[in-house]
Amino acid sequence: MRRGSVPRWAVSTVAAAASAACAWATPAAAALSDQLCIPTGADQLAAYPSAAELQRAAAMAEQRLSRRGAADPFADIAPALDVPAAGAERPSPQALAEYCAAAGELMRVSAQGSQLQAQTYLLAAFQAASRAQLQGPASVAAYRLGLVSLSGAPATGGTRGGGRRATRGPSDAVREVGEMRGGPCELLQRTAFVVNSSLPLSVASLGCAAEQARAAGDRRTAALAELRLTRLRLSVAEANLEAAAAFRADAAQSARAGLADARGIQDADLRAEVMGRLAAALLDADKGRAGELSPVTAAIREVQTPAAQAYAAALDARAAAAAGDRLTGRRLLDEALLLESQRSLPTRLPEYRLLLAEIDPAHREAHVLAAYDALEAIRPLLPRFDPITEETAFSLYMRRVFQGAVDVQLAGADGGGAAIRVRNAQQILEAYRQAELQSVFGSECIPVRDALKPETLRAGEVLLYPILLPDRLELLYVAGGPGGTTEFRRLPPNTRVDRQAVARLVETVVVPLSGDGDARWRAASRELYDLLIKPIEGQLTEGSLLAVVPDGALRSLPFAALLDDRDRYLVQKTRIAIAPALAYSQAGRDEAQGLQLVAASLEKEVRLPAGRFEKLEGTASEAKLAAVVDGQRIERARVIENFNKTDLVTALTREQVDVLHLATHASFNGRSDRAFIVADGEVILLSELRQILGQNRTRGGELDLLVLSACETAVGDDEASMGLAGAAVQAGAKSAIASLWPVSDVGTAELMKIFYGFYRDGRTKSEALREAQLALIGRGGDLADPNIWAAFTLLGAWR
């Protein structure tokens, strides 16, 4: 097992469909796992490790994986998986399945691994086990494969260079789930299905894992697979109104199956926890099932711990309320709150307070704010990931509480004390955004900064908070002006749209604009302009700056391309910047003259575990444009062509650097700790880049601008979009310019040439980017297409 090894799938009609996503290697270059763990069956090798040695290595790796801590386990485990060849006898399917499952799990959990490798190895493990009818190993591989796909799509490679590519949005994935034909395990035998799907792959993998585990008598894995599948289906139902009924019905079915499996879990505490979660999810899917829960809560009460007793009381409370007995429901929830408070880490106190708000709507605000207070008390103590299901603590315990607290503060802002309520709502929102960023990156990866203070905004600078709630759209804004006495103001709520409606509009804009160029995006763009911009249009005077703290789906929206009723782009009215959160944003410096710049480029095709990345034709010229004026190298600028990590480390540690321009592929899909840029023969994680740039801060400086000109994020993936929005934060830069989707080499080079021309002349970052975008619009022709100029967004400091 080598970091940097390339998975190689056997060439066949089916496997050829995967060639765009798979990296190919010669046999001499391939690591053992790449040779053995091929989904369609390993090639004939001259010599193989023995089955016993493979199983011994797999057992050792699994043991170390099971007790891993917070540190990356790659260095500790990978050497154990490099097993020497012993003879010509091919290992047994069971040995291959166990070995490839362990190798795939290491690739899944390690930041040094690759999502593509993990998917490849685990699929090979599943198919080897399935062919030999080994249900136990097949269930483990399928479950892990489901966890890989839940973390996002692997990088596809080829993020720049060619023409437009078809783009799939979340609605397409939902439709594909409905069109799935065949059993879940049957689907995993089709390599093309695995390569070309994300949500369907998650559904099939988890469904297959439950089936295989059940057949093998492994009730624990079956129950956990059904639990993740239930929660996945509920999340889709929440985000997609058209498919909500079908996905809720399927979620209820998964929850009921999981409850039957969970009764067979041997560990009493785990059994009670999983049964409680499944029962709660069943009620979320269908409150009419409340009458089925009596045997479940009785089984949970058999476990004599405060957590189990509290869970049972809360479930009985929900059942009583569903039956119309609110008084009993309140009494039982009070019991649940008392029991939960006895735990050393009462993780469900906020959840039970929210349930109390549902049962006692007359005092909803008090209960919701009590839930928020309870969350703030435990939030610093919550682990980033749940140890049972690996879901984020943010998704399990925080999101609904934050949303509820913002909701009740704003809902009561119509009468007296409105200004105080709006201020409170904004402060909760800021905590919400910070918690999201910390959930994506880990609090240890977020450098502490002084938050942007609204009173420091200058005349013409406007800060906008769009808030997507389940029943309405809210807008908060603050406009800079003389005297420094700015306050956030709330605009009348828009109840004609909700979170789902706005997300659909964003998808309708982004999918065609980033992909096939269909003109249907224009109508949705106008509607979004009317919803988000028109209410503050009067603040956007000549020379103004609009800084947006986006929510949810809005993080992937190219605000510059929003159209007003005269078909004028928003960028033609104002400068635009995106602020992931005020705590990680500052207005920045006013001048850019005399800054130290490093411009690194990659032109060659690179094949890596993370994927195959096409040759980039214009990146070397683009890097030179950043560092050269009138054919002369700027005195304080350095250009590195076809750079590697050593080149970058040398350039960035030699002296303080203010601007780093990376003209190479970059990906924000999948897990946030795997956000990376592509170098010559390797990837550089964004977290590694932050450590390298940390040398700047030891010299008293901080990177002022990071330019990522060839980024890729998955449409509709909130975490990928948050990863892009937090790129500057994670890399330790004051601001970043990045692309929301792949852009042609010619278009990127031309926009960057104009940008740096204005930037060197002393324009602020937001001014220089806007002037470059306006210049391309004014030229007409292909370069005026918003597919090119609207992809680029400024994140963080705008001056």
Side-chain angles (χ1 to χ4, degrees):
M1 170 71 62
R2 294 178 292 118
R3 180 187 177 189
S5 63
V6 180
R8 184 171 59 90
W9 294 7
V11 179
S12 68
T13 303
V14 175
S19 62
C22 250
W24 298 82
T26 63
L32 176 64
S33 49
D34 300 327
Q35 295 174 305
L36 292 178
C37 302
I38 301 173
T40 52
D43 290 346
Q44 185 68 37
L45 304 180
Y48 296 93
S50 69
E53 283 299 304
L54 283 181
Q55 289 178 297
R56 183 194 61 79
M60 183 182 300
E62 293 285 4
Q63 183 183 45
R64 293 179 182 177
L65 283 165
S66 68
R67 63 170 189 257
R68 72 183 188 276
D72 193 313
F74 191 91
D76 180 47
I77 299 174
L81 291 171
D82 271 331
V83 184
E89 183 179 355
R90 190 183 185 90
S92 67
Q94 180 159 354
L96 284 173
E98 292 175 6
Y99 174 83
C100 293
E105 181 70 351
L106 177 60
M107 292 296 100
R108 186 182 74 82
V109 303
S110 170
Q112 298 187 59
S114 148
Q115 204 167 353
L116 181 60
Q117 278 179 308
Q119 186 171 291
T120 302
Y121 298 169
L122 291 169
L123 183 60
F126 168 77
Q127 293 184 355
S130 294
R131 285 192 291 270
Q133 297 183 331
L134 301 169
Q135 288 101 343
S139 70
V140 170
Y143 182 66
R144 291 172 174 177
L145 184 61
L147 297 183
V148 172
S149 56
L150 281 172
S151 67
T156 58
T159 57
R160 267 179 55 170
R164 285 178 159 177
R165 299 170 175 84
T167 304
R168 296 166 63 251
S171 296
D172 296 312
V174 170
R175 186 179 61 254
E176 288 165 6
V177 171
E179 295 171 351
M180 287 166 51
R181 298 293 180 267
C185 294
E186 178 188 345
L187 290 170
L188 295 188
Q189 300 290 349
R190 306 173 190 169
T191 304
F193 168 80
V194 174
V195 171
N196 294 320
S197 63
S198 180
L199 176 62
L201 175 58
S202 300
V203 171
S205 298
L206 294 172
C208 177
E211 284 186 6
Q212 294 289 305
R214 207 169 283 130
D218 181 359
R219 298 296 178 176
R220 178 183 182 277
T221 299
L224 289 176
E226 294 288 11
L227 175 58
R228 287 305 306 264
L229 187 54
T230 301
R231 290 183 57 80
L232 173 61
R233 284 169 164 157
L234 285 173
S235 69
V236 173
E238 183 180 348
N240 192 298
L241 182 63
E242 290 81 3
F247 272 80
R248 285 189 185 280
D250 289 343
Q253 182 177 344
S254 294
R256 296 179 77 197
L259 281 168
D261 293 319
R263 289 178 176 275
I265 296 176
Q266 295 300 309
D267 183 282
D269 289 342
L270 180 63
R271 180 172 67 249
E273 180 70 23
V274 174
M275 290 184 74
R277 294 190 191 190
L278 282 162
L282 176 60
L283 290 178
D284 290 340
D286 184 357
K287 291 183 179 179
R289 301 279 184 181
E292 302 176 10
L293 292 187
S294 294
V296 175
T297 55
I300 294 174
R301 287 187 188 278
E302 292 174 2
V303 181
Q304 298 298 313
T305 64
Q309 297 299 307
Y311 230 146
L315 289 168
D316 283 339
R318 294 184 69 178
D325 188 353
R326 292 182 180 274
L327 187 62
T328 299
R330 283 205 59 179
R331 178 181 59 77
L332 287 167
L333 272 175
D334 287 338
E335 177 186 332
L337 287 165
L338 179 62
L339 289 163
E340 182 69 14
S341 65
Q342 297 172 17
R343 299 177 63 197
S344 57
L345 182 58
T347 54
R348 290 201 172 81
L349 275 182
E351 176 186 336
Y352 296 159
R353 293 283 184 190
L354 287 185
L355 288 175
L356 198 53
E358 293 180 17
I359 292 176
D360 182 22
H363 302 94
R364 177 173 181 264
E365 179 176 332
H367 296 314
V368 170
L369 294 180
Y372 178 70
D373 289 341
L375 174 62
E376 287 300 277
I378 65 171
R379 185 156 67 95
L381 305 175
L382 292 173
R384 187 178 169 197
F385 296 103
D386 177 68
I388 297 175
T389 63
E390 299 188 33
E391 295 167 278
T392 65
F394 182 84
S395 65
L396 281 176
Y397 304 117
M398 300 185 200
R399 179 180 285 114
R400 289 181 63 242
V401 178
F402 277 120
Q403 290 175 350
V406 171
D407 184 3
V408 298
Q409 286 286 6
L410 292 177
D414 294 326
I420 295 174
R421 282 182 170 273
V422 169
R423 188 183 309 120
N424 290 342
Q426 187 276 325
Q427 291 171 352
I428 295 170
L429 273 171
E430 181 60 20
Y432 185 1
R433 298 292 174 263
Q434 291 180 44
E436 281 185 295
L437 275 172
Q438 290 169 351
S439 173
V440 170
F441 296 118
S443 57
E444 71 281 358
C445 296
I446 304 292
V448 177
R449 295 178 179 173
D450 294 330
L452 173 67
K453 295 179 173 58
E455 56 266 26
T456 64
L457 295 174
R458 297 175 180 171
E461 293 181 341
V462 181
L463 184 63
L464 176 66
Y465 263 108
I467 308 163
L468 307 182
L469 294 172
D471 62 347
R472 66 191 188 277
L473 167 68
E474 293 265 9
L475 297 177
L476 303 184
Y477 81 96
V478 60
T485 57
T486 51
E487 291 282 350
F488 278 93
R489 299 175 184 177
R490 178 197 183 210
L491 292 166
N494 190 330
T495 57
R496 295 184 298 106
V497 293
D498 56 18
R499 184 190 300 132
Q500 287 189 1
V502 173
R504 286 195 299 273
L505 287 170
V506 171
E507 182 181 355
T508 305
V509 169
V510 174
V511 170
L513 196 56
S514 63
D516 58 18
D518 190 300
R520 69 185 185 278
W521 70 270
R522 301 183 73 88
S525 176
R526 293 188 193 96
E527 191 168 349
L528 284 167
Y529 182 97
D530 289 343
L531 293 171
L532 302 170
I533 307 302
K534 198 171 187 62
I536 60 163
E537 198 172 36
Q539 304 290 332
L540 304 179
T541 56
E542 184 69 26
S544 63
L545 177 284
L546 176 64
V548 184
V549 185
D551 184 14
L554 294 174
R555 296 189 187 102
S556 61
L557 179 66
F559 280 86
L562 296 185
L563 288 164
D564 67 10
D565 53 10
R566 294 188 296 163
D567 265 7
R568 294 181 72 241
Y569 296 112
L570 179 59
V571 73
Q572 293 175 302
K573 291 180 183 290
T574 185
R575 295 173 285 143
I576 303 164
I578 301 299
L582 297 191
Y584 308 116
S585 301
Q586 280 292 341
R589 67 175 73 184
D590 289 311
E591 296 182 355
Q593 293 172 312
L595 297 181
Q596 178 73 33
L597 180 144
V598 170
S601 65
L602 181 71
E603 284 208 334
K604 60 172 64 174
E605 179 181 329
V606 179
R607 301 184 180 206
L608 298 169
R612 180 179 65 85
F613 298 89
E614 296 175 0
K615 180 179 180 181
L616 299 172
E617 299 291 348
T619 50
S621 299
E622 177 189 322
K624 291 174 183 175
L625 288 171
V628 174
V629 177
D630 297 329
Q632 298 296 315
R633 178 77 54 84
I634 300 171
E635 182 179 351
R636 300 182 64 204
R638 182 176 181 190
V639 176
I640 313 170
E641 296 184 10
N642 289 325
F643 74 100
N644 58 33
K645 187 187 298 185
T646 301
D647 296 331
L648 203 58
V649 169
T650 301
L652 293 174
T653 55
R654 177 177 297 173
E655 56 187 328
Q656 181 179 330
V657 174
D658 301 292
V659 178
L660 174 60
H661 184 110
L662 296 173
T664 181
H665 299 289
S667 176
F668 294 91
N669 295 343
R671 280 186 8 208
S672 60
D673 58 355
R674 288 187 178 153
F676 62 82
I677 59 174
V678 179
D680 187 3
E682 58 192 330
V683 299
I684 302 175
L685 299 174
L686 215 57
S687 56
E688 293 177 305
L689 182 61
R690 178 175 60 87
Q691 294 171 354
I692 297 169
L693 292 173
Q695 296 299 317
N696 259 4
R697 288 190 290 278
T698 64
R699 290 185 291 273
E702 185 175 21
L703 190 70
D704 190 54
L705 175 63
L706 171 66
V707 178
L708 299 166
S709 64
C711 297
E712 177 191 16
T713 59
V715 178
D717 186 334
D718 277 358
E719 181 162 319
S721 297
M722 176 64 85
L724 178 59
V729 175
Q730 190 182 20
K734 292 180 180 176
S735 56
I737 291 177
S739 55
L740 293 167
W741 57 75
V743 178
S744 72
D745 298 326
V746 173
T748 300
E750 192 60 27
L751 183 135
M752 289 298 166
K753 175 183 177 181
I754 301 169
F755 167 79
Y756 279 110
F758 283 107
Y759 192 46
R760 284 191 294 264
D761 286 343
R763 301 292 186 93
T764 65
K765 293 182 278 287
S766 58
E767 288 171 339
L769 180 58
R770 178 177 183 246
E771 291 294 343
Q773 291 171 319
L774 292 178
L776 295 190
I777 294 171
R779 289 185 184 182
D782 291 343
L783 293 180
D785 191 329
N787 168 264
I788 293 174
W789 56 262
F792 292 93
T793 186
L794 173 64
L795 307 151
W798 56 82
R799 294 179 191 159

